[in-house]
Amino acid sequence: MIKLDPTNLTKQADEYLNEMKDVIKGNYLKERSEPNPAINPFTKEPVTKLFERSGTLDEILLDTLLTGSFSNMISRYASLRDYIQTCRLVYYSSFKIHTELEMDNLEKTQMEREDFRERYTDRYASSWFDPIKSTHSSYKRNDKFFNAFIDEVEADLTLLNEGIGRIVNYSMLPDEIRHGLLSQMGVEVCPYCNRQYITHYHDGTNFKTTADLDHFYPKSVFMLLSLSLFNFVPSCHICNSRFKLAKGIEIMYPYDEGFMDDARFKYVFARQGSIDSIIGASTDFSIELEMNGTGSSPRLLQNGADMFKIQKLYQSHKECVREILYKKQAYAKAYQNDLQELLGQMGLDQLSQNELNLFKYGYTLDLNELGKRPLSKLAYDVIRQIQN
């Protein structure tokens, strides 16, 4: 997973507000005038109260909802915090308790199971579902009781989202704006897999793209965030529609962090391999994704790698690694020195290290450019491996 630059989103914030803010304001006013407005089951108030301050539409809140970061939403507005926390509680609740205990190196005892369920619920604490929680005092005891608690929260959340959908709904985003966003985000390769180009073009009238606009938090659960700019992640169709979907598995948020050094690709020679694989004459090796476990989110790293089938899919890219190994042998240090000397004799500028890398391997190895070419992360890691 490649980290995305959030400044590309903030550059589009004003234009996006101009396009969408009036649409939501109109929907809000229409809902507020309804004789039977939608009710928030958690607060027993009209859904429109989520968008208000002192009884009127809070336009700053609306701006934050459309173009602000999640951390900004949560820190500034209690209503948005309660909504997001409640959605997270429901969305991530499909975990397998024994798998979670194994990943945390904890014993599979009744006490550990209860402690985990309690920690999980506390992590997404919200006053919204406290009354429901109080009626499920045994929610920690087993999966049946825990799921009963979650099901009741989910039922109310579904009703709330139906009401929110009258005001904020992804279907309200015109195709031309969606294509325009994808074209202006500056993302060239799917950040989830780093394998597929995200292609955009102009057909003479409008921008068009071949990519999906993924909702990091799925709109089916997080309806209020369905038009939030920072919830949009350009991705390839395979990652969005086949692998990610709405599986309720927590992964890294690409506007905050990426794999970087916490997860590295490496090639591993077959036990009975020959010299050919070392010099790039064969693909008698495997590609592995190694987690070093020292990052801030090792669990999220592993979840992302598993969700997008990274290690399995990258076995089909052995030819890329074979080519790198071959070029390592073909373009030795002496060759590089000769090239620089020739350029000097011709009165041309010396090549920078990035330019040499591009000439030699087809990749600059600039960390800031990993999202510009498919397989850049693989190439970066393998080249570092052979240089060490």
Side-chain angles (χ1 to χ4, degrees):
M1 182 179 292
I2 305 301
K3 185 179 185 300
L4 297 177
D5 184 357
T7 59
N8 290 327
L9 287 183
T10 56
K11 290 176 182 177
Q12 300 181 71
D14 290 343
E15 182 178 353
Y16 185 64
L17 279 176
N18 290 336
E19 297 283 359
M20 299 306 303
K21 189 172 181 179
D22 286 344
V23 175
I24 296 177
K25 287 170 67 175
N27 294 336
Y28 160 82
L29 292 173
K30 180 179 179 182
E31 179 63 22
R32 198 163 186 233
S33 67
E34 286 287 333
N36 296 304
I39 301 297
N40 180 345
F42 298 105
T43 64
K44 314 306 179 188
E45 298 175 326
V47 169
T48 50
K49 294 283 284 185
L50 280 171
F51 302 86
E52 295 177 354
R53 182 178 182 182
S54 302
T56 59
L57 178 65
D58 187 341
E59 297 209 23
I60 298 178
L61 180 150
L62 186 53
D63 290 352
T64 303
L65 181 63
L66 285 173
T67 62
S69 66
F70 297 135
S71 59
N72 199 11
M73 294 181 199
I74 290 171
S75 63
R76 294 182 63 183
Y77 298 99
S79 59
L80 298 185
R81 177 190 178 279
D82 282 327
Y83 177 80
I84 292 172
Q85 287 289 86
T86 302
C87 290
R88 286 170 170 170
L89 176 85
V90 170
Y91 182 56
Y92 295 128
S93 64
S94 59
F95 58 81
K96 303 298 182 183
I97 187 70
H98 283 174
T99 301
E100 296 297 322
L101 293 177
E102 285 178 2
M103 294 185 74
D104 288 340
N105 295 316
L106 298 173
E107 295 184 8
K108 300 173 185 177
T109 64
Q110 180 64 17
M111 179 180 294
E112 293 292 1
R113 287 191 289 269
E114 292 189 11
D115 285 349
F116 182 88
R117 294 187 185 102
E118 183 174 25
R119 289 195 304 274
Y120 175 84
T121 305
D122 289 345
R123 180 182 180 187
Y124 302 117
S126 166
S127 60
W128 276 15
F129 56 77
D130 280 345
I132 298 176
K133 183 179 173 183
S134 67
T135 66
H136 292 269
S137 58
S138 299
Y139 79 92
K140 297 184 295 183
R141 189 178 301 173
N142 56 41
D143 285 345
K144 178 181 178 181
F145 292 146
F146 178 77
N147 290 335
F149 159 57
I150 296 296
D151 287 347
E152 191 168 343
V153 176
E154 184 175 14
D156 281 356
L157 180 61
T158 299
L159 289 175
L160 173 59
N161 280 335
E162 289 175 1
I164 289 173
R166 302 179 192 177
I167 303 172
V168 177
N169 196 306
Y170 184 64
S171 64
M172 301 167 184
L173 184 70
D175 282 346
E176 58 267 25
I177 296 179
R178 181 177 69 84
H179 286 301
L181 283 172
L182 282 165
S183 299
Q184 300 300 318
M185 281 182 170
V187 180
E188 303 293 334
V189 179
C190 176
Y192 290 136
C193 67
N194 197 226
R195 298 172 63 242
Q196 305 283 346
Y197 272 119
I198 291 176
T199 305
H200 50 83
Y201 60 95
H202 199 276
D203 68 356
T205 304
N206 297 303
F207 284 109
K208 297 290 184 179
T209 60
T210 60
D212 285 358
L213 194 57
D214 173 52
H215 287 76
F216 182 78
Y217 290 118
K219 57 186 180 294
S220 59
V221 180
F222 298 77
M223 179 64 74
L224 190 59
L225 306 181
S226 62
L227 290 175
S228 297
L229 201 57
F230 274 83
N231 199 26
F232 295 156
V233 178
S235 67
C236 68
H237 182 71
I238 293 174
C239 284
N240 183 39
S241 300
R242 293 191 185 181
F243 291 151
K244 187 171 179 286
L245 300 173
K247 292 182 178 178
I249 299 173
E250 190 172 6
I251 60 174
M252 291 187 305
Y253 178 51
Y255 290 108
D256 281 346
E257 50 188 340
F259 275 5
M260 303 308 289
D261 283 345
D262 296 327
R264 296 182 183 181
F265 288 105
K266 67 177 184 178
Y267 64 94
V268 179
F269 295 124
R271 182 172 298 180
Q272 304 299 324
S274 68
I275 190 67
D276 287 346
S277 58
I278 298 176
I279 62 175
S282 79
T283 56
D284 193 14
F285 54 81
S286 63
I287 298 173
E288 296 184 4
L289 183 63
E290 183 177 66
M291 307 288 182
N292 64 28
T294 61
S296 60
S297 308
R299 172 75 67 83
L300 304 188
L301 278 170
Q302 189 62 59
N303 286 349
D306 292 343
M307 175 181 286
F308 298 112
K309 316 291 185 189
I310 297 297
Q311 181 151 321
K312 292 181 179 178
L313 289 179
Y314 268 71
Q315 301 310 311
S316 64
H317 298 302
K318 290 182 180 181
E319 185 61 26
C320 175
V321 175
R322 186 205 64 75
E323 185 176 321
I324 289 172
L325 295 174
Y326 173 79
K327 288 179 176 179
K328 169 67 175 175
Q329 301 298 321
Y331 302 138
K333 184 69 175 178
Y335 182 90
Q336 297 178 54
N337 293 336
D338 291 343
L339 176 62
Q340 295 284 42
E341 183 179 345
L342 177 62
L343 291 172
Q345 293 173 357
M346 297 172 63
L348 301 176
D349 292 336
Q350 296 289 287
L351 296 177
S352 67
Q353 186 58 54
N354 281 353
E355 290 170 332
L356 276 174
N357 290 333
L358 185 60
F359 176 83
K360 191 175 176 184
Y361 300 114
Y363 297 89
T364 65
L365 304 189
D366 185 337
L367 285 174
N368 295 319
E369 297 185 356
L370 293 184
K372 290 187 175 182
R373 292 196 65 185
L375 308 179
S376 290
K377 171 62 172 167
L378 172 66
Y380 177 82
D381 289 342
V382 168
I383 292 168
R384 283 197 305 171
Q385 180 183 356
I386 62 180
Q387 288 178 341
N388 292 336

